[in-house]
Amino acid sequence: MELEVKREKLVFRFGAQKFEWNIEPRYWRNPLIYVGLLIVLPILAYFFYPTLLPTLIDANLLAAIAIPLSWMTLGTGRMNFGPQFYIGAGGYAAALCSIHLHWPPQVTLLAALIVGLFFGLLMSPLAILSGGLYYTLLTLLFPLVFLEITFIYTDIFRGEVGLSGIAPLINVGSFTLNQLIIGLGALLMMLLYMFIVDKVMRSRFSTSLAAINDDEEVAAAMGVNVNKMKIISFTIPAVMIAVVGWFYAHYYGTFAGVTYLPLTFMLKVLMVNMIGGRVQIYGNVVGGYFIAFLELLLIQVIGDYSPVLFPIILLILLLTLPEGLFGLYRKRHYREYLPTLHVRR
Amino acid sequence: MNEILKASNLSKHFGGLMAIDDVSFSIYEGETLGLMGPNGAGKTTLVNLITGKYFTDTGSIQFMGKDITRMAPYKRCKLGISRTYQIPRPFPELTALSSVIVSALYGKDRSNQSLDDAGYEATHYLEFCGLFSKRNVLCKDLTLYELRGLELARALATTPKLIFVDEVMAGLNPAEATKAVRLLERAKEEFGVTILWIEHVMAALMKAANRVVVLHYGKKIAEGLPQEIANDPLVIECYLGSCHV
Ligand SMILES: Nc1ncnc2c1ncn2[C@@H]1O[C@H](COP(=O)(O)OP(=O)(O)O)[C@@H](O)[C@H]1O
Ligand SMILES: [Mg+2]
């Protein structure tokens, strides 16, 4: 038995038999490799370092928010600074239904979907009516208004304390095993989102999104139904993000607006987007893991990450890497990836 | 000859400025109609009215017997009206090919056209405009001449019946301008499109156009065969700059 690594070949001899693998760059781009890696990670953590599991769950959920957000950003041609609004909507819908109606998680998912769809449709005209900067400011405002509402109607939303007693996603008896299953579930959701958005980005749909992102007026002159596309690419991602809210609610068993609705959480999501490159869906996974581990590191080193630090990092990223980490790669390989964002002001 | 477009009594004002003032004209199938006028005469605004960027204040627009006065721009495109821009407006972050694909996919309702199909089709238009070798270049990296070609490829890819060409020659050197003009003539032969050709230099239109309409300060001051226009004292006066209509 013999293993030999040549320059572009991996040769494996077993007795008289010989197996060869070509090592070509395009093989390394096979998504299955990375999916496999992501699946192995929580399993390894489960056996060797269970305290890492929450961080992995967090990473996947952050990526699961950032991926639809990329679609939304591309398809509306504007930066949405309020994705956490839908987390709040989905989360509260799930929490309230679970606590008051005693619905199991599968049923509250439906409630989160409906509430997400409702608010998504309700707000989607914003993407048509308001220009880039106003849109950004308005989307920034909505989560904060929502936060105020959770404080005003304390008897419903339980303000600062949050709702508790939400049915858990899964309970098999062992805490770490629960976490492993939830971790794999979060990964599955993230991969599903990735799959959906990737399909969209590779379909005929994507060229119109890219055109809208670059120049709405010209896109319309070339026959693209800009308003329809914008409504679709606002509403569906909003629903997808609302489902992440549902996941948060059932995962923690408690749900408080103060955790998700303030600017600090938004900054985290935006940084995930920034690090990956704003409309690079694969980059979002890198960004999600990067931020989750950075947070872990900061908590271990400084004790608690300072709310000042993240905005500073975000600012530095904005200035140095306008297209994110993926942008560096894309500069040389732009044919293979669809457009980056051109933010309208 | 069939009337393909009939614009009656169009007006458009921006604040106090009457950019278009009670303009009526028709375009007939298969012709090249020249639209002439000094800078700021309202030529581009007229195109914007017909393609739907702005709605007209008064009057109506008929395209192939259909009233399109209040129709959304994308629907007009699907009906067969297309345009190029005076200052090229490419999709900066898309490659030349993918920006033509957008037109090929959405310019007309074709059921079950895949992205690949649209790609093949777009390639044809790119090649026609001499941009095949630039297909994978981002639009923001193209030169002005190439962008003009791309504008035309994009407009043709929507399979229009009527195409508005807004000052193809502006900013090009004489050799490039000649090539651009020849390209338009070939487009007309090959795709059978009707062209409304805007230019503010007289000489070019005199050769290419079948008929010419002259705008001045938003008003139509003359319409007729190129020869008549060239000898029209009012038009000559306007071009010499001493005309007050
Ligand atoms: N969106 C606009 N807002 C205000 N004024 C405009 C606008 N578009 C065009 N105009 C004005 O209308 C007039 C006609 O412009 P335009 O149609 O571009 O002229 P041309 O294409 O013949 O050079 C100009 O005086 C211009 O300043
Ligand atoms: Mg003009």
Side-chain angles (χ1 to χ4, degrees):
Chain A
M1 199 166 80
E2 187 184 341
L3 189 70
E4 191 182 341
V5 184
K6 289 186 181 162
R7 213 162 70 91
E8 77 292 344
K9 239 181 226 163
L10 194 70
V11 183
F12 177 68
R13 287 204 179 79
F14 186 77
Q17 277 169 310
K18 183 177 160 197
F19 303 92
E20 279 186 6
W21 289 280
N22 285 339
I23 309 172
E24 268 193 60
R26 67 193 163 100
Y27 290 167
W28 293 110
R29 279 187 230 134
N30 190 338
L32 285 181
I33 297 174
Y34 302 101
V35 171
L37 212 67
L38 290 180
I39 292 174
V40 167
L41 223 55
I43 295 173
L44 281 181
Y46 172 72
F47 286 112
F48 301 108
Y49 203 76
T51 45
L52 212 57
L53 279 171
T55 308
L56 290 175
I57 297 174
D58 228 30
N60 285 324
L61 291 179
L62 281 177
I65 300 166
I67 290 169
L69 187 62
S70 288
W71 175 9
M72 193 192 267
T73 313
L74 182 67
T76 57
R78 294 156 163 79
M79 285 289 273
N80 189 333
F81 273 22
Q84 70 275 33
F85 182 90
Y86 303 99
I87 299 175
Y92 271 119
L96 291 171
C97 288
S98 179
I99 292 168
H100 296 298
L101 304 172
H102 305 290
W103 289 355
Q106 307 88 288
V107 189
T108 56
L109 175 62
L110 205 68
L113 279 173
I114 290 167
V115 170
L117 188 67
F118 174 75
F119 282 107
L121 277 177
L122 193 71
M123 290 180 175
S124 56
L126 266 187
I128 299 166
L129 297 174
S130 63
L133 196 58
Y134 291 108
Y135 173 84
T136 304
L137 282 176
L138 282 171
T139 51
L140 187 66
L141 206 63
F142 283 127
L144 299 178
V145 171
F146 192 2
L147 186 61
E148 278 305 308
I149 288 174
T150 64
F151 285 128
I152 293 168
Y153 297 97
T154 316
D155 43 336
I156 304 174
F157 297 109
R158 290 279 128 72
E160 192 110 26
V161 190
L163 297 162
S164 54
I166 306 164
L169 261 187
I170 191 137
N171 198 354
V172 291
S174 145
F175 178 71
T176 40
L177 194 59
N178 275 350
Q179 288 221 310
L180 174 64
I181 294 171
I182 290 173
L184 290 175
L187 178 63
L188 189 74
M189 182 163 78
M190 189 272 279
L191 290 176
L192 182 72
Y193 282 11
M194 174 77 98
F195 180 77
I196 295 171
V197 179
D198 191 59
K199 271 269 177 284
V200 173
M201 292 299 155
R202 286 169 195 280
S203 71
R204 40 178 288 174
F205 205 64
S206 68
T207 50
S208 72
L209 300 184
I212 289 171
N213 181 40
D214 272 1
D215 196 328
E216 275 168 37
E217 192 191 318
V218 179
M222 296 302 144
V224 178
N225 188 346
V226 175
N227 292 354
K228 188 176 104 186
M229 290 299 174
K230 276 189 187 171
I231 291 206
I232 291 174
S233 39
F234 188 96
T235 309
I236 297 178
V239 173
M240 289 163 92
I241 296 173
V243 172
V244 181
W246 162 84
F247 199 98
Y248 272 125
H250 285 285
Y251 162 42
Y252 287 115
T254 63
F255 193 86
V258 271
T259 320
Y260 306 102
L261 294 175
L263 294 180
T264 37
F265 190 81
M266 177 216 67
L267 279 175
K268 242 181 353 185
V269 175
L270 280 190
M271 270 172 62
V272 172
N273 245 245
M274 288 296 161
I275 287 169
R278 273 166 293 193
V279 292
Q280 296 302 334
I281 51 170
Y282 310 117
N284 285 327
V285 183
V286 180
Y289 277 77
F290 184 86
I291 291 299
F293 278 91
L294 182 70
E295 205 183 340
L296 183 76
L297 198 76
L298 287 180
I299 287 172
Q300 304 234 311
V301 174
I302 310 177
D304 190 12
Y305 70 89
S306 139
V308 189
L309 208 56
F310 266 26
I312 290 174
I313 297 176
L314 182 71
L315 213 66
I316 293 170
L317 281 173
L318 262 174
L319 293 176
T320 54
L321 285 178
E323 288 183 33
L325 286 178
F326 237 65
L328 293 179
Y329 174 75
R330 184 181 172 272
K331 269 209 177 91
R332 292 189 294 128
H333 301 264
Y334 56 72
R335 281 175 57 195
E336 292 162 35
Y337 293 96
L338 274 160
T340 50
L341 184 77
H342 171 78
V343 184
R344 234 187 312 283
R345 294 198 173 78
Chain B
M1 270 198 296
N2 285 330
E3 212 173 36
I4 191 167
L5 184 111
K6 183 177 165 62
S8 2
N9 309 100
L10 302 185
S11 303
K12 180 75 194 171
H13 66 87
F14 297 110
L17 174 84
M18 284 305 273
I20 294 291
D21 192 357
D22 198 29
V23 172
S24 306
F25 68 102
S26 296
I27 305 177
Y28 296 97
E29 202 164 349
E31 75 172 342
T32 302
L33 177 65
L35 180 60
M36 212 167 73
N39 268 327
K43 305 180 296 290
T44 304
T45 307
L46 191 59
V47 174
N48 284 337
L49 287 183
I50 296 171
T51 54
K53 179 179 174 183
Y54 306 126
F55 288 153
T56 172
D57 296 340
T58 60
S60 69
I61 308 166
Q62 307 268 329
F63 180 68
M64 313 229 324
K66 224 180 209 167
D67 184 52
I68 59 163
T69 316
R70 300 272 149 197
M71 198 181 258
Y74 80 93
K75 283 188 191 156
R76 299 187 199 206
C77 175
K78 286 189 201 285
L79 274 185
I81 298 178
S82 188
R83 70 172 293 180
T84 69
Y85 289 89
Q86 179 175 1
I87 300 158
R89 288 178 67 172
F91 299 122
E93 302 283 348
L94 292 190
T95 61
L97 182 62
S98 40
S99 58
V100 181
I101 287 178
V102 175
S103 307
L105 270 175
Y106 291 93
K108 199 174 202 181
D109 281 321
R110 302 170 177 87
S111 50
N112 294 327
Q113 188 189 30
S114 73
L115 193 56
D116 289 347
D117 293 343
Y120 296 133
E121 207 179 312
T123 313
H124 175 66
Y125 292 104
L126 266 186
E127 194 174 1
F128 177 80
C129 295
L131 285 170
F132 183 70
S133 60
K134 302 280 178 184
R135 63 192 178 283
N136 289 325
V137 177
L138 292 184
C139 292
K140 62 180 176 191
D141 298 332
L142 294 173
T143 65
L144 180 66
Y145 174 67
E146 287 160 354
L147 283 175
R148 285 267 153 75
L150 185 68
E151 289 272 320
L152 188 63
R154 226 166 45 169
L156 288 172
T158 63
T159 59
K161 298 192 179 67
L162 172 61
I163 181 167
F164 292 90
V165 179
D166 202 347
E167 308 214 3
V168 269
M169 291 163 70
L172 299 184
N173 66 38
E176 288 172 339
T178 318
K179 272 199 275 181
V181 170
R182 210 175 292 148
L183 190 63
L184 266 178
E185 281 162 359
R186 269 178 51 218
K188 195 172 166 175
E189 270 169 36
E190 192 156 322
F191 302 108
V193 287
T194 306
I195 296 178
L196 184 138
W197 187 338
I198 297 177
E199 206 69 61
H200 77 269
V201 266
M202 247 170 145
L205 274 190
M206 289 305 146
K207 271 186 281 173
N210 304 115
R211 252 168 7 107
V212 176
V213 168
V214 185
L215 279 187
H216 190 64
Y217 286 121
K219 289 200 179 71
K220 186 171 94 172
I221 55 165
E223 177 175 3
L225 299 174
Q227 285 319 309
E228 298 167 13
I229 295 294
N231 299 323
D232 191 321
L234 190 59
V235 175
I236 293 168
E237 217 177 300
C238 286
Y239 265 79
L240 292 177
S242 58
C243 156
H244 303 283
V245 181

